[in-house]
């Protein structure tokens, strides 16, 4: 079976290399006795012939063969190959040729486009088995699963000309160097190609050398061709999920990471592996976080390899699962909880029921808070929001449903005993856990109860996150492939109302909302701005209750006055809420600085500023709200509204992140949406009088800002220099 995993060119090269090796290296690699070159060749030829005969017999019997040692052979060779004697120079077919025949004959050999896996993902056991070490097969409730191989991998993956050129070059490097390395493209690239998604990031797993050693071989070959190559070494850093040294090279327009196949063992007190060593393809696949990330594309055999026996099934069914038992996998590395959420949200996949139960267990959640560094949690949270293909609202739905706010955001944050969590205790009510802990009299119990109530308060943000998602869908900022009922609701509304007509629910037409939608698009295109907006919305309940656009009919209902009625120069503006910069409790800041340690000071300050100035934008937008639902046309003219000066001063106080402030104020002023709303619920929410009034008010405010050219008001230099003025007065 070892010989069958290599092509004739490989094992002949190994024989030649072995003849020159004095320490028996050839014998160790191939498992053959030390003998003359002719004897070794004869042994290989006889072994291949024996398995060819057995394979041909298996095809005739339509049954898989399990030879001694527990490996199941991939049968696939015609009887004509058995006619060759052991004296032949080499067997008539390589491993690729042996695999190819049954895949052509089987029902799933029909060609299918990469975006539709369909019948191409039939189990390899139906094609007479798959080669795998029985000591490390994947297990599930139905028992162990054998590995699966799909021949013609390049065609199934839909390789581009550039990718074929790269892989051909790498094969030439291995052949020229006689290093005997089997190269496998691993993980996300294989998954994305099977899903019809293009990517230039390739992870290459090597079976017999480190990434640095192979990079030097590649560099030597390129230098012979007169092409330079820079080798970047990423040192092992377990705290950043880098358990083994990785080498990065850029070759033919692809970012290629080189690493050897590995096996990992974990200790009970850390997510960092206690032992990392060279491993087999099976051990490397089983140590990965999710089955859909465990696939290989073997460059030598042109096969797609599913060493877990279930990755292709999960990819076709849209299921997120772990290669090994979920509870064991998550306790080894609780960060996989967040990775499972991220990939389930990204691809709109369902989380396996057993994995969901493991994620919901108190033991896993406790380990998630205790073993995982806050920096790694922050990185995963940012990936849920800003990575390519990210779907933030889906991720936050899963966090909400699994009640993961506490282990993700609150470890180490702590809540002081004296009134530090008024929002949490208010949300809990008189019968909450905090009240029960007060009766208990235990300080530790009280802190734990207040932390729990704080997590409940954070869960209140999910409705606002759904509202944020809805307004972004209405503005055509977000586009998802499938499963997004909110986006589907607005697609239906546009289809009913036309591109430029008012929506059926009475929303302002496209001309009125253009400035607001343009602002949303510009902000969401900025990765850092998008990140800040989602995190600020998530943490907003810790700073203040929801806002309201009342639409009162008289100016006394708002603190915003028309420009001609402003106080004399030098008089202070009198906001309804505490002055910007003053924090009522500081809980949001503690979560960012401790629970999400690793956020830059700039981002923390920006989000705190957004929270502090949200009320000002809500107040100024309130002045634009219609006074009466039945008199929308004349309401704006009938009421005093802020002009250029008032609006510019609010923008100036908010600073460079005023757009985030305005959109956060909009989201906090809208009614919350149910978690994972249906199309009908989105229609009802959009037709609600409060939603229509709020969106109308903020649309008019955005139009004023655009018309008056106030977008850079925050950065305007003073017209008069104070020092020069003092000199003139003196």
């Amino acid at each position: 079976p070892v010989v069958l995993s290599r092509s004739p060119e490989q094992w002949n090269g190994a024989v030649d290399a072995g003849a020159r090796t004095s320490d028996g290296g050839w014998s160790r690699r191939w498992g053959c006795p030390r003998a003359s070159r002719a004897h070794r060749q004869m042994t290989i030829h006889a072994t291949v012939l024996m398995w060819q005969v057995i394979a041909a017999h298996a095809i005739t019997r339509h049954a898989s063969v399990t030879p001694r040692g527990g490996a199941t052979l991939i049968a696939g060779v015609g009887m004509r190959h058995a006619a060759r004697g052991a004296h032949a120079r080499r067997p008539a077919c390589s491993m690729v040729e042996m695999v190819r025949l049954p895949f052509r004959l089987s029902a799933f050999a029909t060609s299918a486009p990469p975006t539709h896996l369909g019948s191409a993902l039939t189990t390899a056991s139906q094609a007479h088995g798959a080669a795998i070490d029985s000591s490390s097969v994947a297990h599930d409730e139905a028992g162990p699963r054998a590995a699966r191989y799909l021949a013609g991998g390049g065609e199934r993956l839909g390789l581009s000309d550039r990718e074929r050129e790269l892989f051909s070059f790498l094969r030439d490097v291995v052949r020229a160097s006689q290093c005997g390395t089997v190269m496998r493209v691993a993980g996300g690239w294989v998954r994305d190609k099977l899903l019809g998604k293009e990517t230039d990031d390739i992870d290459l797993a090597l079976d017999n050398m480190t990434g640095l050693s192979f990079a030097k071989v590649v560099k030597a070959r390129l230098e012979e061709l007169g092409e330079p190559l820079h080798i970047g070494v990423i040192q092992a850093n377990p705290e950043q999920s880098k358990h083994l040294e990785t080498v990065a090279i850029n070759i033919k327009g692809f970012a290629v990471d080189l690493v050897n196949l590995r096996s990992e063992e974990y200790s009970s007190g850390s997510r960092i592996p206690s032992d990392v060593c060279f491993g087999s393809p099976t051990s490397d696949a089983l140590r990965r976080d999710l089955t859909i990330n465990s696939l290989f594309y073997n460059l030598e055999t042109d096969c797609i390899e599913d060493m877990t026996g279930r990755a292709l099934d999960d990819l076709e069914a849209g299921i997120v699962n772990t290669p090994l038992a979920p509870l064991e996998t998550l306790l080894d590395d609780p960060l996989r909880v967040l990775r499972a959420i991220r990939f389930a949200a990204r691809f709109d996949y369902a989380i396996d029921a057993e994995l969901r139960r493991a994620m919901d267990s108190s033991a896993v959640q406790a380990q998630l808070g205790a073993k995982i560094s806050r920096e790694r949690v922050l990185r995963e949270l940012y990936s849920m929001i800003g990575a390519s293909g990210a779907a933030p609202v889906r991720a936050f739905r899963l966090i909400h449903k699994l009640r993961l706010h506490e282990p993700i955001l609150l470890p180490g944050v702590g809540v002081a005993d004296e009134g530090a969590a008024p929002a949490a205790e208010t949300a809990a009510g008189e019968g909450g856990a905090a009240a029960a802990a007060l009766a208990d009299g235990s300080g530790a119990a009280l802190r734990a109860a207040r932390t729990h109530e704080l997590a409940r308060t954070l869960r209140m943000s999910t409705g606002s996150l759904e509202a944020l998602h809805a307004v972004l869908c209405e503005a055509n900022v977000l586009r998802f492939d499938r499963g997004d009922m909110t986006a589907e609701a607005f697609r239906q509304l546009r289809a009913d109302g036309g591109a430029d007509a008012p929506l059926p629910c009475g929303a302002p037409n496209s001309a009125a909302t253009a400035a607001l939608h343009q602002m949303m698009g510009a902000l969401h295109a900025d990765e850092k701005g998008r990140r800040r907006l989602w995190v600020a919305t998530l943490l907003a309940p810790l700073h203040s209750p929801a806002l309201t656009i009342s639409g009162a009919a008289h100016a006394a209902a708002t603190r915003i006055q028309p420009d001609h009625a402003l106080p004399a120069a030098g008089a202070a503006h009198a906001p309804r809420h505490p002055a910007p910069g003053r924090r009522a409790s500081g809980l949001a800041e503690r979560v960012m600085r401790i629970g999400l340690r690793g956020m830059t000071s700039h981002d923390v300050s920006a989000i705190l500023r957004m929270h502090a100035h949200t009320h000002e934008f809500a107040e100024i937008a309130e002045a634009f709200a219609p006074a009466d639902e039945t008199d929308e046309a004349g309401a704006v003219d009938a009421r005093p509204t802020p002009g250029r000066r008032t609006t510019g001063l609010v923008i100036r106080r908010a600073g460079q992140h005023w757009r985030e402030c305005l959109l956060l104020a909009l989201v906090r002023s809208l009614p919350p949406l149910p978690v994972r709303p249906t199309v009908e619920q989105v229609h009802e929410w959009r037709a609600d009088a409060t939603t229509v009034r709020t969106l109308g008010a903020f649309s008019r405010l955005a139009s004023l800002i655009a018309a008056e050219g106030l977008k850079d008001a925050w950065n305007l230099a003073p017209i008069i220099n104070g020092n020069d003025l003092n000199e003139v007065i003196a």
Side-chain angles (χ1 to χ4, degrees):
V2 174
V3 174
L4 292 181
S5 67
R6 306 290 176 130
S7 67
E9 291 79 11
Q10 280 187 296
W11 54 255
N12 274 341
V15 169
D16 294 333
R20 297 190 300 269
T21 302
S22 60
D23 61 355
W26 184 89
S27 301
R28 288 199 304 272
R29 175 178 296 178
W30 295 96
C32 298
R34 188 190 304 250
S36 67
R37 184 177 188 278
H39 188 185
R40 288 194 292 265
Q41 282 186 320
M42 184 69 70
T43 303
I44 293 172
H45 297 163
T47 304
V48 171
L49 174 63
M50 177 181 69
W51 285 115
Q52 287 174 352
V53 174
I54 295 174
H57 181 66
I59 293 178
T60 306
R61 296 284 301 274
H62 298 285
S64 60
V65 179
T66 305
R68 185 178 181 183
T72 304
L73 177 69
I74 296 184
V77 61
M79 288 297 293
R80 61 187 175 86
H81 297 304
R84 290 182 175 267
H87 60 277
R89 183 178 184 276
R90 65 175 66 177
C93 66
S94 67
M95 183 64 176
V96 181
E97 293 168 327
M98 294 181 66
V99 174
R100 203 164 278 158
L101 179 59
F103 280 97
R104 288 182 183 140
L105 297 178
S106 63
F108 61 88
T110 56
S111 60
T115 52
H116 301 87
L117 302 180
S119 60
L121 304 185
T122 308
T123 59
S125 60
Q126 294 172 329
H128 314 295
I132 186 173
D133 181 358
S134 63
S135 64
S136 57
V137 296
H139 291 260
D140 59 12
E141 295 178 358
R145 293 192 181 187
R148 298 168 53 191
Y149 298 78
L150 294 181
E155 182 178 349
R156 294 180 187 275
L157 294 171
L159 295 183
S160 66
D161 292 340
R162 292 176 57 240
E163 289 166 338
R164 292 183 185 278
E165 180 185 0
L166 171 66
F167 297 154
S168 177
F169 170 77
L170 292 174
R171 283 190 288 265
D172 290 342
V173 169
V174 171
R175 190 177 303 113
S177 65
Q178 296 186 351
C179 60
T181 301
V182 176
M183 300 170 291
R184 292 174 171 87
V185 183
W189 181 89
V190 184
R191 176 201 66 222
D192 289 346
K193 291 292 288 186
L194 284 172
L195 294 174
K197 303 176 184 295
E198 296 298 325
T199 176
D200 288 341
D201 294 330
I202 295 177
D203 294 336
L204 202 62
L206 313 167
D207 70 333
N208 65 352
M209 63 170 58
T210 64
L212 183 58
S213 299
F214 187 75
K216 291 178 179 178
V217 174
V218 175
K219 183 176 183 178
R221 178 60 176 167
L222 285 174
E223 287 177 347
E224 292 177 2
L225 300 175
E227 299 179 23
L229 177 68
H230 173 72
I231 299 176
V233 180
I234 305 172
Q235 299 295 337
N237 187 353
E239 289 299 328
Q240 301 298 324
S241 282
K242 290 291 183 184
H243 304 314
L244 200 65
E245 178 185 84
T246 303
V247 175
I249 59 176
N250 195 301
I251 179 172
K252 298 188 181 298
F254 292 91
V256 182
D257 287 349
L258 304 173
V259 69
N260 57 271
L261 296 172
R262 57 193 186 271
S263 176
E264 298 175 351
E265 293 182 5
Y266 292 84
S267 61
S268 59
S270 173
R271 63 171 290 267
I272 301 173
S274 57
D275 183 31
V276 180
C277 58
F278 273 82
S280 66
T282 302
S283 65
D284 192 275
L286 294 180
R287 61 114 191 141
R288 293 181 179 265
D289 51 2
L290 304 171
T291 55
I292 60 174
N293 294 336
S294 66
L295 292 165
F296 293 118
Y297 171 52
N298 190 316
L299 298 188
E300 182 62 36
T301 64
D302 191 36
C303 285
I304 298 171
E305 301 174 339
D306 177 4
M307 310 308 293
T308 69
R310 60 196 307 170
L312 293 170
D313 286 338
D314 289 344
L315 195 63
E316 181 184 20
I319 295 175
V320 171
N321 205 349
T322 54
L324 298 174
L327 187 59
E328 173 191 349
T329 300
L330 298 186
L331 288 176
D332 279 346
D333 186 358
L335 185 68
R336 291 166 177 162
V337 172
L338 302 185
R339 291 181 61 81
I341 290 174
R342 175 156 66 90
F343 284 105
R346 176 181 173 183
F347 297 114
D348 195 22
Y349 282 3
I351 296 179
D352 178 76
E354 186 180 354
L355 175 57
R356 185 183 287 268
R357 286 192 295 271
M359 294 168 70
D360 198 32
S361 71
S362 57
V364 169
Q365 294 194 11
Q367 291 296 312
L368 177 60
K371 290 175 66 172
I372 307 302
S373 70
R374 297 293 90 200
E375 291 84 357
R376 283 299 299 142
V377 171
L378 176 66
R379 177 177 293 186
E380 286 297 324
L381 186 65
Y382 278 174
S383 295
M384 293 177 194
I385 296 171
S388 175
V393 73
R394 293 177 189 158
F396 288 120
R397 287 170 186 164
L398 290 170
I399 291 173
H400 176 94
K401 192 165 186 177
L402 293 168
R403 298 177 180 272
L404 291 172
H405 291 86
E406 185 171 342
I408 291 176
L409 299 172
L410 300 179
V413 172
V415 181
D417 292 343
E418 56 276 4
E425 293 180 4
T426 301
E430 295 181 357
L438 283 171
D440 178 81
S442 167
L446 178 59
R447 286 190 293 273
R450 281 180 165 167
T451 301
H452 180 66
E453 299 300 348
L454 196 60
R456 290 183 59 188
T457 303
L458 284 169
R459 295 183 77 239
M460 294 166 56
S461 67
T462 309
S464 294
L465 292 166
E466 291 281 3
L468 171 59
H469 175 67
V471 296
L472 293 174
C473 286
E474 180 175 352
N476 265 334
V477 173
L478 296 180
R479 296 178 179 85
F480 293 125
D481 297 332
R482 59 174 183 167
D484 189 349
M485 294 296 100
T486 304
E488 178 60 29
F490 284 103
R491 280 193 288 269
Q492 290 184 9
L493 291 175
R494 292 188 193 97
D496 294 339
D500 297 322
L503 296 178
C505 57
N509 60 32
S510 59
T513 59
L516 183 61
H517 289 178
Q518 184 179 5
M519 187 184 301
M520 292 180 189
L523 177 61
H524 216 261
D526 174 26
E527 182 180 348
K528 292 183 178 180
R530 177 168 70 248
R531 232 160 42 188
R532 286 191 292 264
L533 180 59
W534 283 92
V535 173
T537 305
L538 172 66
L539 301 180
L542 301 182
H543 185 270
S544 65
L547 308 175
T548 303
I549 299 297
S550 63
H554 50 84
T558 176
R559 298 286 181 181
I560 301 296
Q561 301 293 333
D563 284 352
H564 59 77
L566 286 173
H573 174 70
R576 180 187 305 177
H577 301 280
R582 294 185 182 178
R583 297 181 297 277
S585 63
L587 288 175
E589 182 176 6
R590 288 182 63 82
V591 169
M592 288 186 284
R593 294 197 183 278
I594 301 175
L596 296 176
R597 186 171 58 247
M599 287 186 69
T600 65
S601 297
H602 178 79
D603 283 346
V604 173
S605 299
I607 291 174
L608 292 176
R609 199 173 186 88
M610 290 166 64
H611 287 162
H613 290 275
T614 296
H615 290 286
E616 283 195 272
F617 280 96
E619 287 175 348
I620 199 171
E622 187 176 14
F624 286 97
D628 192 301
E629 295 180 36
T630 62
D631 187 25
E632 188 176 25
V636 175
D637 294 333
R639 298 175 54 201
T641 56
R644 174 184 173 85
R645 177 181 177 184
T646 304
T647 307
L649 289 174
V650 171
I651 292 174
R652 190 171 182 82
R653 285 192 291 271
Q656 62 178 313
H657 303 298
W658 66 268
R659 292 179 181 84
E660 290 101 308
C661 293
L662 187 148
L663 293 180
L664 179 62
L666 167 62
V667 171
R668 297 284 291 150
S669 301
L670 288 167
L673 266 167
V675 178
R676 199 178 182 89
T678 63
V679 171
E680 292 74 18
Q681 288 173 324
V682 175
H683 286 174
E684 293 174 2
W685 173 85
R686 190 58 184 82
D688 182 79
T690 303
T691 302
V692 174
R693 182 187 303 116
T694 301
L695 285 172
F698 278 90
S699 294
R700 295 181 185 96
L701 174 57
S703 297
L704 173 68
I705 293 172
E708 296 291 344
L710 295 174
K711 64 179 182 178
D712 294 322
W714 66 274
N715 200 30
L716 291 177
I719 297 176
I720 300 177
N721 185 299
N723 293 330
D724 295 341
L725 182 61
N726 285 333
E727 290 182 6
V728 172
I729 294 175

